[in-house]
Amino acid sequence: MKDTFTHEIDPIENKRLDFSDAIKKYLFYWKWFVLCLAIFIFISYLYVRYTPTQYEVFSTVLIHNKENESVSSELSAFKDLALIDNNKSLFDTEIGILKSRSLMEKVVKKLHLNKTYFAKGIVKNSELYATNLPFKIMFFDKDSVLYQKDTTISIEPLSETKFALFDAANLEIGNYKFGDKIESNISDFTIVPTLATSIQVGQKIIVSIKSVSKITDEYRKKTRIEPLDSKSSLINITLRDQNKLKAQEILKVLIEQYNIEAIIDKSLIAQNTDKFINDRINTISKELTQVDIETENFKTNNKLTDIISETGLILDSNNKLEKETLNLNTQLRLVEFMNEHISKKQYELIPLNLGLSNENLNQNTKLYNELLLERNRLLRSSNQLNPIIVNLENQLSDIQKSISQSLLNLKSSISISLNNLKKQENEFDSKIKSVPKQERTLKDIQRQQQIVETLYLYLLQKREENAIALAIKAPNAKIIDAAYGSDFPVFPKKLYVYGLALIFGFVIPFFGIYLFFLFNNNVHTIEDIEAVLDVPILGDIPKSKENNLGFGSSNTRGEIDEALRIIRTNMFFILSKNKKKCKNIFVSSTFKGEGKSFTSIHLAKTLALSGSKVILIGADIRNPKIAEYLELENKKGLTHYLADDSIEIKSLIEPVPYLNFDLLQGGIVPANPSELLMNGRFDELLSHVSEKYEYVIIDTAPVNMVADTVMLSQERADMFVYVVRANHLDKRMLKIPKKLHETNKLQNMAMILNYSDPKGAYGYGYGYGYGYGYSEEIEKKPWWKFF
């Protein structure tokens, strides 16, 4: 309950009050905040409790490839052409291989990830893996048959040796023993217990079988592979999964499989060289056998058993010449083998380290093989139209031509050297003319035998060296941090979820209440009236939860009575300047249902309690309610007096004993109320009652419904009490009393706020805080309607 007369408030203090009022507005609806908090916390609990947990596993690896360093240096030429950043390109290529679908598919097949086991729960199922599996399912068909299948089966142990089997629709298929062969339309299978954990009778295990393709795509999406930073070759691999142990195993096998693939790629040169050497060894072995047979046949046919001693001295001086000839012939054969290999096969690895004396040729061969490997690697993730691959193929073609030309030059050089040696040999031949022809022929055969034998032994040595190189290939990735992860799940995050619950628990009711204030444009407090009308405020009448109107209550200390005493005091103050013996107080409102009749009765009662003589006149002859509220019998009233000149006013006035004031009822509802009120008899009525009473309370019709009230009050109202019902009248309707006041159509206007909340519209009040009030046509709200 707020008094009319207030002191001026300092602006700073006013800001503090506004802030405090704003807080109290929302605190008034604290039940909504508590309810929303409880709901969101409960929802968060259910979400955290039943959402499948996700664990995050990390692994850090170092990517290095020393064999590609020379390739990198060759590719650096493209950097100046803005075609390739060699270091980043090679590093990104390795990341692309790690992300490749084929690599993940091999991991899925190796770990049998297309079969997933779940322990059935009431709300959610828990995944089982490795040491948590009580038994496992084994199919008799090849795995490739199951790689394309999708199905679900359930297994419920009935004992340590028996179980019930259910299909995907949870229909029982039958009871079996562990180890029995079970026939199905997908594949025959058996279920065998594991020693990892004991079998729990009654615990249903769901086995989900999905195609390898779906599982591969699923884990590719879950796996995140990215550089640790831009300046190093470190890669961070992250995987989220419901089972931590399973995620660690996947990352471990992924890196192992990547290294296996890298070693296979690196071994291609050695494998091709090994194949080349073995082919040459087989060919030369046949040649060597043929030469041995020729030697044997020649000696047999010519009956030769020993070399002529006379040729010893001559041949000793020719040893050096023969060694040179032997070496040059070996080189010549190797050149012919190399030239044959290059001319017949394009984009094939060229044998390396065959012992050719041309260093430039060896360097070009090594570079050719390295560039060819890089081209083949890039083709896995690209096509032949890629500018990098086109440039690599052009460079390979140039290097191949260079190798061919080098072989041709080397062959020519060897041929020249052999011709020179032949000339020198002819000179020695002239010195041994005395040697028998058979011996010279035998010497030629033995020389050919030595050449073939030397080449054979040389290739055997190179095969062993190549085998050693093949066995010691280093992996491409070095594990810096093995797969590890926290024991606490990363999803759902409890603190985050409950934090959001608290935020939403506060924000949603806050915005709900804010929107309610925004769209609820009704008058709530006296401040709403003061913001529009510059008229005296007599006070407010609080609402009541009682079923009766409270007119005959013996309790005079209730909040309504205290509020009415303040209103009475304010009325006395305003009317103190009026020296008339009888004061006419008109009471009206904008619309019906705002409590004007209720207010009129209480004003009459309160003024009577002060010892004044009071009469209440029911001038709302269109909708008379006073007799109904006072529970009196309807009698003749104002309309009868106005319509019948023979009726005396004193015969119509009746006392209301328990309220100590007199009453003139409205009477029956007439057909022409406006004409009756304006026929002059109403002035005679006021003149008559003014001689006997000190206060005349006149309950009139709503001002926005009819013009009766405005016409009656003109020049007659010593005070016009305008009643506004809180939480009922739209603020925009205050323009009606404002306009009537400004145009002086309603003189001496004062306002009363009816049916106000004892704590105020937003949780703060002006009254005494005990008891409530009542108004016309009050709708009793259930407990849960806080607004």
Side-chain angles (χ1 to χ4, degrees):
M1 168 68 198
K2 184 176 179 178
D3 190 62
T4 308
F5 312 102
T6 58
H7 63 280
E8 292 295 326
I9 301 178
D10 183 81
I12 298 178
E13 183 182 355
N14 190 34
K15 290 182 179 179
R16 292 174 183 171
L17 289 174
D18 291 343
F19 181 73
S20 176
D21 290 346
I23 294 176
K24 290 178 180 179
K25 282 169 60 177
Y26 289 94
L27 287 179
F28 178 70
Y29 300 97
W30 63 269
K31 295 179 182 178
W32 280 114
F33 288 96
V34 172
L35 179 63
C36 287
L37 280 173
I39 292 174
F40 278 103
I41 290 175
F42 180 69
I43 293 174
S44 299
Y45 168 76
L46 294 179
Y47 179 79
V48 172
R49 175 69 178 83
Y50 295 111
T51 299
T53 55
Q54 295 283 331
Y55 294 89
E56 194 166 55
V57 176
F58 306 88
S59 183
T60 305
V61 296
L62 172 65
I63 300 296
H64 59 83
N65 191 352
K66 294 183 179 179
E67 295 184 7
N68 278 343
E69 289 179 358
S70 59
V71 180
S72 300
S73 62
E74 294 298 328
L75 292 177
S76 63
F78 295 105
K79 188 175 181 181
D80 295 334
L81 300 176
L83 294 176
I84 183 172
D85 183 344
N86 55 316
N87 292 328
K88 189 176 188 307
S89 175
L90 293 174
F91 187 64
D92 290 343
T93 299
E94 301 304 322
I95 293 180
I97 294 173
L98 278 167
K99 292 180 178 180
S100 65
R101 196 178 191 280
S102 59
L103 187 63
M104 182 58 75
E105 185 173 318
K106 291 176 182 176
V107 175
V108 170
K109 292 178 179 179
K110 188 171 183 178
L111 294 177
H112 305 288
L113 298 178
N114 59 319
K115 292 181 287 186
T116 311
Y117 299 80
F118 297 94
K120 185 173 179 57
I122 298 176
V123 178
K124 73 171 182 177
N125 301 328
S126 302
E127 184 177 354
L128 303 177
Y129 185 75
T131 58
N132 295 325
L133 286 177
F135 45 77
K136 61 181 179 180
I137 184 171
M138 300 178 65
F139 291 91
F140 291 102
D141 289 339
K142 293 182 179 179
D143 287 339
S144 57
V145 177
L146 299 174
Y147 288 161
Q148 308 300 324
K149 304 293 183 181
D150 287 324
T151 188
T152 301
I153 60 174
S154 300
I155 305 160
E156 182 176 351
L158 302 176
S159 66
E160 293 290 334
T161 58
K162 294 183 179 180
F163 63 90
L165 187 65
F166 300 85
D167 61 11
N170 204 29
L171 299 176
E172 186 171 354
I173 299 173
N175 296 336
Y176 303 90
K177 292 182 179 180
F178 288 107
D180 287 350
K181 182 178 180 181
I182 304 171
E183 296 181 355
S184 73
N185 57 353
I186 297 178
S187 170
D188 295 345
F189 62 92
T190 184
I191 298 174
V192 295
T194 64
L195 301 178
T197 184
S198 60
I199 297 174
Q200 297 182 12
V201 177
Q203 174 61 64
K204 183 176 285 189
I205 304 298
I206 301 172
V207 183
S208 174
I209 301 173
K210 294 184 179 180
S211 67
V212 169
S213 177
K214 291 181 180 179
I215 298 297
T216 301
D217 292 337
E218 180 181 333
Y219 277 101
R220 282 189 69 205
K221 293 177 182 178
K222 290 182 178 180
T223 307
R224 189 171 70 252
I225 303 174
E226 52 192 15
L228 195 61
D229 58 64
S230 59
K231 297 181 180 179
S232 69
S233 297
L234 292 172
I235 292 178
N236 194 33
I237 307 176
T238 308
L239 174 62
R240 283 191 179 187
D241 197 72
Q242 295 183 32
N243 191 290
K244 176 185 172 183
L245 180 61
K246 182 178 180 180
Q248 289 176 326
E249 192 71 16
I250 291 173
L251 290 192
K252 177 184 175 183
V253 175
L254 179 67
I255 298 170
E256 289 177 354
Q257 194 64 38
Y258 167 76
N259 279 331
I260 291 173
E261 300 264 336
I263 290 174
I264 291 174
D265 288 342
K266 292 181 180 181
S267 301
L268 285 177
I269 295 177
Q271 288 173 355
N272 280 275
T273 302
D274 185 67
K275 182 180 178 182
F276 173 81
I277 292 175
N278 286 329
D279 291 342
R280 296 304 100 189
I281 287 176
N282 291 333
T283 302
I284 293 173
S285 178
K286 294 176 182 179
E287 292 181 5
L288 184 59
T289 302
Q290 185 63 34
V291 172
D292 289 341
I293 293 172
E294 289 179 5
T295 302
E296 180 182 356
N297 292 337
F298 180 81
K299 287 185 177 183
T300 302
N301 294 333
N302 292 280
K303 299 179 180 180
L304 297 175
T305 57
D306 194 8
I307 302 175
I308 301 174
S309 58
E310 291 83 14
T311 62
L313 294 175
I314 297 175
L315 294 176
D316 286 340
S317 61
N318 197 30
N319 283 338
K320 183 177 180 181
L321 182 62
E322 288 179 346
K323 289 181 180 179
E324 292 179 3
T325 302
L326 180 63
N327 183 46
L328 288 175
N329 276 289
T330 301
Q331 292 280 325
L332 185 60
R333 292 295 297 273
L334 290 174
V335 169
E336 290 173 351
F337 292 154
M338 288 279 288
N339 197 26
E340 179 184 356
H341 178 79
I342 293 174
S343 61
K344 290 182 179 180
K345 298 179 180 179
Q346 186 179 16
Y347 297 128
E348 289 285 340
L349 296 169
I350 302 174
L352 191 62
N353 298 327
L354 295 178
L356 295 175
S357 58
N358 192 321
E359 186 63 24
N360 185 44
L361 176 62
N362 292 332
Q363 289 294 329
N364 284 338
T365 302
K366 180 180 179 183
L367 178 59
Y368 180 90
N369 288 335
E370 291 171 340
L371 290 175
L372 181 58
L373 282 177
E374 181 61 19
R375 169 191 173 271
N376 293 339
R377 176 185 291 268
L378 293 175
L379 274 176
R380 296 177 188 172
S381 58
S382 183
N383 55 56
Q384 290 186 338
L385 299 179
N386 190 305
I388 297 176
I389 295 176
V390 172
N391 287 322
L392 285 175
E393 290 180 349
N394 292 337
Q395 191 170 358
L396 286 170
S397 177
D398 294 339
I399 295 174
Q400 186 177 7
K401 291 179 182 178
S402 177
I403 292 173
S404 299
Q405 185 62 41
S406 297
L407 288 172
L408 184 62
N409 294 338
L410 182 59
K411 183 178 178 180
S412 176
S413 175
I414 293 173
S415 298
I416 293 173
S417 299
L418 283 173
N419 290 334
N420 292 332
L421 290 176
K422 189 66 176 178
K423 291 179 181 179
Q424 296 179 24
E425 187 177 1
N426 291 335
E427 293 178 0
F428 282 106
D429 286 343
S430 63
K431 295 180 182 180
I432 55 173
K433 288 180 181 180
S434 58
V435 179
K437 182 179 180 181
Q438 295 85 355
E439 191 65 29
R440 289 200 306 271
T441 304
L442 179 61
K443 186 65 177 177
D444 290 337
I445 295 174
Q446 289 177 337
R447 183 183 298 113
Q448 183 67 25
Q449 184 182 28
Q450 283 183 330
I451 291 172
V452 175
E453 183 179 354
T454 302
L455 181 58
Y456 181 77
L457 294 174
Y458 176 79
L459 289 175
L460 287 177
Q461 178 185 351
K462 288 299 177 182
R463 184 171 68 178
E464 291 302 315
E465 292 176 358
N466 189 68
I468 293 172
L470 184 62
I472 61 173
K473 290 295 181 182
N476 224 29
K478 177 182 178 182
I479 298 177
I480 304 301
D481 292 323
Y484 68 96
S486 173
D487 293 331
F488 299 98
V490 296
F491 180 86
K493 297 180 179 179
K494 292 185 179 180
L495 291 178
Y496 179 76
V497 172
Y498 284 117
L500 283 180
L502 292 176
I503 292 173
F504 281 109
F506 279 106
V507 170
I508 288 182
F510 176 84
F511 276 103
I513 296 169
Y514 172 78
L515 292 176
F516 170 75
F517 292 153
L518 185 64
F519 293 104
N520 185 359
N521 203 36
N522 291 339
V523 175
H524 298 291
T525 64
I526 289 176
E527 282 79 1
D528 295 335
I529 299 175
E530 291 177 333
V532 178
L533 287 165
D534 184 19
V535 297
I537 308 295
L538 295 177
D540 61 341
I541 302 175
K543 61 184 178 180
S544 172
K545 62 182 179 180
E546 298 177 3
N547 293 327
N548 59 68
L549 296 171
F551 298 132
S553 174
S554 59
N555 179 21
T556 60
R557 299 294 297 171
E559 189 170 18
I560 289 181
D561 296 292
E562 293 294 343
L564 289 168
R565 289 189 181 96
I566 295 176
I567 291 174
R568 182 182 63 189
T569 303
N570 292 334
M571 290 177 63
F572 285 167
F573 180 80
I574 294 174
L575 294 172
S576 62
K577 296 180 181 180
N578 191 323
K579 303 304 181 180
K580 291 172 59 178
K581 178 182 177 182
C582 179
K583 280 83 172 177
N584 297 327
I585 301 174
F586 285 74
V587 181
S588 186
S589 61
T590 306
F591 302 102
K592 69 175 183 178
E594 293 194 64
K596 61 177 184 58
S597 299
F598 161 84
T599 304
S600 299
I601 296 172
H602 271 296
L603 286 177
K605 171 188 172 182
T606 304
L607 290 171
L609 287 174
S610 67
S612 302
K613 296 193 68 176
V614 181
I615 185 172
L616 174 60
I617 299 175
D620 185 2
I621 58 178
R622 298 172 185 269
N623 186 30
K625 289 287 185 180
I626 294 177
E628 178 183 343
Y629 290 162
L630 292 175
E631 299 179 354
L632 299 176
E633 181 183 354
N634 288 322
K635 297 180 179 180
K636 292 182 179 181
L638 179 61
T639 54
H640 296 84
Y641 174 76
L642 296 177
D644 189 354
D645 294 342
S646 63
I647 297 178
E648 296 184 1
I649 189 62
K650 62 181 180 180
S651 64
L652 302 177
I653 296 174
E654 59 181 310
V656 184
Y658 59 90
L659 294 180
N660 300 318
F661 64 82
D662 292 339
L663 171 65
L664 174 60
Q665 295 188 26
I668 62 173
V669 178
N672 54 345
S674 297
E675 287 73 11
L676 284 178
L677 291 171
M678 294 296 105
N679 64 6
R681 293 276 287 173
F682 189 77
D683 289 330
E684 294 178 7
L685 170 64
L686 292 180
S687 176
H688 177 79
V689 297
S690 64
E691 297 176 358
K692 185 177 179 182
Y693 300 96
E694 298 177 69
Y695 293 96
V696 179
I697 309 298
I698 304 167
D699 178 29
T700 61
V703 297
N704 200 46
M705 305 294 290
V706 292
D708 301 352
T709 303
V710 176
M711 292 186 296
L712 281 179
S713 64
Q714 289 289 336
E715 306 298 333
R716 300 181 180 91
D718 297 307
M719 175 177 286
F720 194 99
V721 176
Y722 201 102
V723 179
V724 174
R725 180 175 175 177
N727 303 311
H728 179 80
L729 183 68
D730 193 304
K731 291 179 183 178
R732 291 170 293 185
M733 293 296 102
L734 291 177
K735 65 183 180 181
I736 295 174
K738 179 182 179 181
K739 184 176 181 180
L740 292 173
H741 173 68
E742 290 175 348
T743 57
N744 205 27
K745 290 183 178 180
L746 294 181
Q747 300 170 351
N748 305 316
M749 182 187 292
M751 307 294 291
I752 289 180
L753 181 65
N754 184 37
Y755 200 61
S756 64
D757 195 293
K759 295 182 180 179
Y762 308 118
Y764 55 96
Y766 308 105
Y768 297 92
Y770 57 94
Y772 297 87
Y774 193 81
S775 171
E776 295 181 89
E777 302 175 8
I778 297 175
E779 177 186 359
K780 186 175 181 181
K781 295 183 179 180
W783 65 270
W784 46 268
K785 288 189 177 180
F786 303 117
F787 290 145

